[in-house]
Amino acid sequence: MLQNNITGKLIIMFALLLDSLGSERAIAEAMIERTIPDDPDIPAIRLERGHKPEIKAYRVENPPRIDGILDDDAWHNAEVAGPLIQYRPKAGKPMDQQTEFRVAHDDRNIYVAVWCWDSEPDKIVSRYMRRDDSMSPDDYVIISLDTFNDQRNGYWFRFNPNGARQDGIVSNNSNINSRWDGIWEVKTRRTEEGWFAEVAFPLNTFSFDPDSTEWGMNLTRNLKRLDQRGIWSSPRASIRSYYMAEAGTIKGLYGLKQGLGLELNPYIIGKETENRETGESEFDFDWGGDFRYRITPKMSATLSYNTDFAAAETDTRQVNLTRFSLFFQEKRRFFLEDAGVFTFGGLEGRVRRGARTSPVFLPYFSRRIGLTSSGTVVPLIGAGKLSGRIGDIDIGIIDAVIDSSSELDSQNVFLGRATKQVLDQSTVGVIMTHGDPNSDYDNLLVGSDFRYLSNNFLDKYRLEANAFVLGTQSDDPDFDDSLAPSFGGNVIIPADEFEIDGSFLQIDENFNPAMGFAPRRGIRRFASVLTYQPRTDDIEWLRQYFLIYEGEYVTNLSNELESSRHELTPLSFMFESSDSVYARYENSYDALVTDFEISDGVVIQAGDYDWNRGILGFQTATKRTVSMEQEYSFGNFYDGDRTESKTEVNYLPSKHFGTTLGYTRQNVNLPGGDFSVKLASLTALVNITPDFTWSNVFQYDNISDTLGVNSRLIWEYHPGKRIFLVLNQSYLDERTGLVLKQMDTTLKLSSIFRF
C-alpha cells in the first residue's frame, strides 16, 4: 500500500512537470516571432546626428494583460521598433543580442512590450529585486518618456529581468531625481530565448498635454556580462538615457485622459518608543496625508498635513576629520518628489564614474527643514507645494510650518523658484528663500542663475555652463545686516573620451543661507577636473584607461591661500573582465588660523601644513556573485601621518537575498596624540517579491561607541498602497558588551487614491 501511494505521488509529480513544460512551450509558441536578425544592417540614417526614429502607438479597445507573456492581440497588431544600436563600448555598431519593442495605448494607459532576445539566457545577470535599487550590476531596460515633447524634461523608468523597478524625473536634460516614485506596473518573463517585459504606465502618473498626439521616447538596454549598452535614438558614446533632447518620437497618441487630477495619499501610523535607560515607554498614534490637485495639465498643488518621515532610510554614518560640515543626502519623499524644480546654478553635484559627487555649496538644502543641525527630527505641522509650468516658465513653491521643539518655537519657512526656457535647451531663473528653520532670526535669500546647455558644441560634444549670483540678509547678530553676496559658475564638457569640469565660487563672510548648505564662508574657490578616458581596441585585455587630475584651490577674500588639494591618477585601468585597479597621488595644504581639535583631546596647533599621500585600490566586477572594493591610503597628515583601509564586500547569491559588508579603519598619529577611527556596517536584504522586501542595516563606530540597527519591512500590496514596519534600535558599547538603550517600533499604512 505504501509503495502504491509513493508511485501514485510520483506519477502526479511527473504529470505536473510535463504540464509545466507544456505551459512554457505554449508560452514560447504563443509569443510573437522575432523580426530582427542576429546581425542586423544598421541604416546609415540611424547614425546621423539629429536623426530621431519614430514609432506609432497602436490604440487598443482591449488592453493587454500585464503578465510578461507577449501574446496579446495588441502586440500582434502594433508597429515594431528596433533594433537598438550600441553606444557603449562601440558606438554605432549592432548589439551582440537584439532588442525590439512595441507601444500601445488606450484612454488611461500607455503600454510598452519589450523583447530582449538572448542566445545565452543562462548568462543573463539579474540579482536585484527591491524597488529603487540601482540595477547597474544587472541586465536592464530603461524607458524615458518626454510627455510634453519639449525635449527638456521627462520621466525615467528602469526594470530588470526580475521585475525590479526604479524611476525618476528628468529636469532640463541634466538632472535626474531617482527618488521620485511613480505608480506603474511591469511584469517580466524569462525563457530559453531571452527575457521579455510588459509595462503599463497609468496616465495619471504623468503631467502631459492632452491635446498633443506626440511624446518623446527613448529605450535603452544594458547587457551586463559584456558591459554593452544599446539605445534606440542617438547612439553616440556621450549619450545618456535621460537626455530627452536626443529622444525619438511616439506618434498617434489620441484621446488620452488624465482624469480629474485629484490624488489623496492618507496614512495612519503607530509608534512605540522604549527607553531602557530610564525604563520609560510610550505609544503614539497619529495620522496625516497629502492632497494633490492638478490645477492644469502642467501645474499641480499639494497640501500636506502632519507630514511624516518615519519610513525614510537611515543616514550612512560618516566620521569627519576636516574642519567643515559633511553633506548628507535628502531621503524624505515629500522633498524629493519635485527636487529637480529647485536645483540652482549647477551646484547639485554630478555623477562621475558611477558615483554622485557631493555639492560644496547650496542656496537651498531641504534637510534644513524639519531637521535640526544635529539631525534630530522636528515634525512639520503642514506644508504646501505648488509645482509645474506656465507657458515656458517652470515654477516651484514650498511653504512649511515647522512644529515647536524644546529649543525653538514654531517656525514658518518659504521657498520660491522659477526658471524660463530660453534658446534651445537653456534656462534663466530666480530663487528666493525666507525664514530660518533653526532660529528665531529673520533670514532672506534671493538670487538668479543662467544655465546654457547644448548637445552640438563643435558639432560633436555636449556643453553645460552655469552662472549665478546670490545675496542674503539676516538680523542674526553674528552677521552684518547688509546684503551679503555670493556668485560663481562652472563649465562642463562630459564627452566619452574625455571630461572637462571647471568651476569658480565666491562666498562673502557674512553670507548666511539659513535654508542652504554653506560649510565655508569668506572664500574664493577654484576647482577643476580633467579626465582623459580612451577606450582601447588593440589591447584585448584592456577596455578603458583613465588619466585624471582633480584640483581645488581655496583662498580668503584677500587672496591668501587657505587650503588646496591636488589629486593625480596616473594609473587607472578597467579590464575586459570589468575589474579595475587604480593608483593616485594626493597633495593637500591647510592653513589653520586657530587650533583644531580633530578628536577628543587631540589638538593640531595653528599653522600652515602641507602633506602628501598615496592611494591604491581595486574593484572586482559587480556582475559576479561576490564582488569587492578595496582601497588603502598612506602618507602624511598635517604634522603626523595617517593610514586608511576601506573594504566593501557584496554577496548576491540570488535575487531573493543579498548582503554588503563594509569596514573602514583609520590610524592617525599626531604630535598632539594618536587615535583610530573604525566604521563597520552590514546590510542584509531579503526580497520575497519585487513588491515585498525586508532590509536590515547595522552600523557601528568607535567614536560614539554605539551600534545602530534599522530594519524596514515594506510591502506594496497594490500599486500605490504600502505597509511599512520599521524597527530602530540603539546599543551602547560597554565593557560588558553591547547593551540595548533605546528601541523604536513604527507601523505605517499608506495608500494613494487617484481620480
Side-chain angles (χ1 to χ4, degrees), residues 387-457:
S387 62
R389 183 181 308 163
I390 300 176
D392 59 359
I393 299 176
D394 291 302
I395 295 174
I397 295 173
I398 293 178
D399 191 88
V401 179
I402 305 170
D403 202 357
S404 60
S405 66
S406 59
E407 303 173 358
L408 199 64
D409 293 334
S410 177
Q411 300 292 312
N412 178 256
V413 294
F414 173 85
L415 164 68
R417 173 77 165 132
T419 58
K420 176 178 172 57
Q421 300 175 3
V422 297
L423 304 178
D424 187 26
Q425 299 179 55
S426 305
T427 59
V428 60
V430 294
I431 190 172
M432 183 179 79
T433 71
H434 184 260
D436 186 342
N438 291 303
S439 81
D440 286 320
Y441 298 115
D442 191 50
N443 186 278
L444 175 69
L445 176 145
V446 293
S448 179
D449 67 328
F450 172 69
R451 169 173 289 184
Y452 176 79
L453 186 62
S454 172
N455 287 328
N456 294 293
F457 178 62

Side-chain angles (χ1 to χ4, degrees), residues 264-277:
L264 298 176
N265 183 15
Y267 76 85
I268 56 174
I269 188 171
K271 182 177 181 179
E272 183 179 30
T273 301
E274 182 180 1
N275 189 320
R276 292 291 181 92
E277 289 185 305

Side-chain angles (χ1 to χ4, degrees), residues 118 140 150 163 259 321 326 386 393 397 430 465 483 491 528 539 542:
D118 202 315
Y140 60 74
D150 62 6
L321 296 183
L326 297 177
L386 182 71
I393 299 176
I397 295 173
V430 294
L483 189 68
V491 176
S528 62
I539 304 177
L542 184 62

Side-chain angles (χ1 to χ4, degrees), residues 153 169-177 335-336 338-349 356 359 361-366 394-396 415-419 427-431 448-451 464 466 468 470:
N153 308 290
I169 294 179
V170 179
S171 301
N172 202 39
N173 283 308
S174 57
N175 178 273
I176 179 168
N177 172 22
F335 294 108
L336 289 168
D338 301 298
V341 177
F342 301 102
T343 58
F344 179 88
L347 296 167
E348 61 274 6
R356 179 171 288 277
F361 165 70
L362 291 172
Y364 163 66
F365 182 36
S366 58
D394 291 302
I395 295 174
L415 164 68
R417 173 77 165 132
T419 58
T427 59
V428 60
V430 294
I431 190 172
S448 179
D449 67 328
F450 172 69
R451 169 173 289 184
E464 180 182 336
N466 295 275
F468 68 87
L470 292 157

Side-chain angles (χ1 to χ4, degrees), residues 337-640:
E337 285 185 327
D338 301 298
V341 177
F342 301 102
T343 58
F344 179 88
L347 296 167
E348 61 274 6
R350 305 188 59 79
V351 175
R352 183 177 294 127
R353 295 185 293 281
R356 179 171 288 277
T357 61
S358 296
V360 297
F361 165 70
L362 291 172
Y364 163 66
F365 182 36
S366 58
R367 281 181 68 105
R368 293 283 184 258
I369 304 174
L371 287 173
T372 66
S373 55
S374 62
T376 303
V377 175
V378 181
L380 297 189
I381 298 174
K385 181 164 55 175
L386 182 71
S387 62
R389 183 181 308 163
I390 300 176
D392 59 359
I393 299 176
D394 291 302
I395 295 174
I397 295 173
I398 293 178
D399 191 88
V401 179
I402 305 170
D403 202 357
S404 60
S405 66
S406 59
E407 303 173 358
L408 199 64
D409 293 334
S410 177
Q411 300 292 312
N412 178 256
V413 294
F414 173 85
L415 164 68
R417 173 77 165 132
T419 58
K420 176 178 172 57
Q421 300 175 3
V422 297
L423 304 178
D424 187 26
Q425 299 179 55
S426 305
T427 59
V428 60
V430 294
I431 190 172
M432 183 179 79
T433 71
H434 184 260
D436 186 342
N438 291 303
S439 81
D440 286 320
Y441 298 115
D442 191 50
N443 186 278
L444 175 69
L445 176 145
V446 293
S448 179
D449 67 328
F450 172 69
R451 169 173 289 184
Y452 176 79
L453 186 62
S454 172
N455 287 328
N456 294 293
F457 178 62
L458 300 179
D459 294 325
K460 185 177 182 180
Y461 300 112
R462 175 184 172 89
L463 170 67
E464 180 182 336
N466 295 275
F468 68 87
V469 60
L470 292 157
T472 64
Q473 190 171 35
S474 173
D475 59 5
D476 187 331
D478 292 335
F479 298 89
D480 191 274
D481 60 1
S482 61
L483 189 68
S486 171
F487 55 89
N490 56 55
V491 176
I492 306 108
I493 304 177
D496 183 62
E497 64 273 25
F498 67 89
E499 180 172 329
I500 298 173
D501 187 340
S503 63
F504 168 75
L505 171 65
Q506 177 168 318
I507 303 177
D508 189 82
E509 58 187 10
N510 288 302
F511 186 80
N512 178 29
M515 291 171 60
F517 176 74
R520 302 182 71 170
R521 298 183 177 90
I523 62 162
R524 293 190 179 102
R525 179 181 183 269
F526 305 84
S528 62
V529 179
L530 305 174
T531 305
Y532 179 56
Q533 49 191 19
R535 300 180 186 272
T536 59
D537 294 326
D538 51 348
I539 304 177
E540 292 184 359
W541 50 269
L542 184 62
R543 176 178 302 159
Q544 192 173 17
Y545 69 90
F546 302 84
L547 178 62
I548 307 167
Y549 167 77
E550 295 188 35
E552 180 186 64
Y553 192 86
V554 181
T555 73
N556 59 25
L557 298 182
S558 299
N559 292 322
E560 297 170 333
L561 182 62
E562 286 195 354
S563 66
S564 67
R565 184 182 63 87
H566 304 278
E567 185 177 278
L568 179 65
T569 306
L571 179 120
S572 180
F573 293 155
M574 177 177 285
F575 304 110
E576 275 300 327
S577 62
S578 296
D579 302 310
S580 61
V581 297
Y582 59 86
R584 297 176 186 150
Y585 164 78
E586 183 181 83
N587 170 262
S588 300
Y589 172 84
D590 197 7
L592 299 181
V593 179
T594 61
D595 293 349
F596 170 36
E597 186 176 15
I598 192 170
S599 184
D600 289 342
V602 181
V603 177
I604 302 174
Q605 301 297 319
D608 296 347
Y609 297 89
D610 186 287
W611 66 92
N612 301 294
R613 297 180 55 75
I615 304 168
L616 303 172
F618 70 86
Q619 179 178 350
T620 63
T622 56
K623 62 187 177 184
R624 300 192 180 101
T625 301
V626 179
S627 62
M628 178 180 181
E629 293 183 50
Q630 175 66 52
E631 182 177 282
Y632 178 73
S633 61
F634 55 93
N636 308 123
F637 185 63
Y638 287 95
D639 52 350

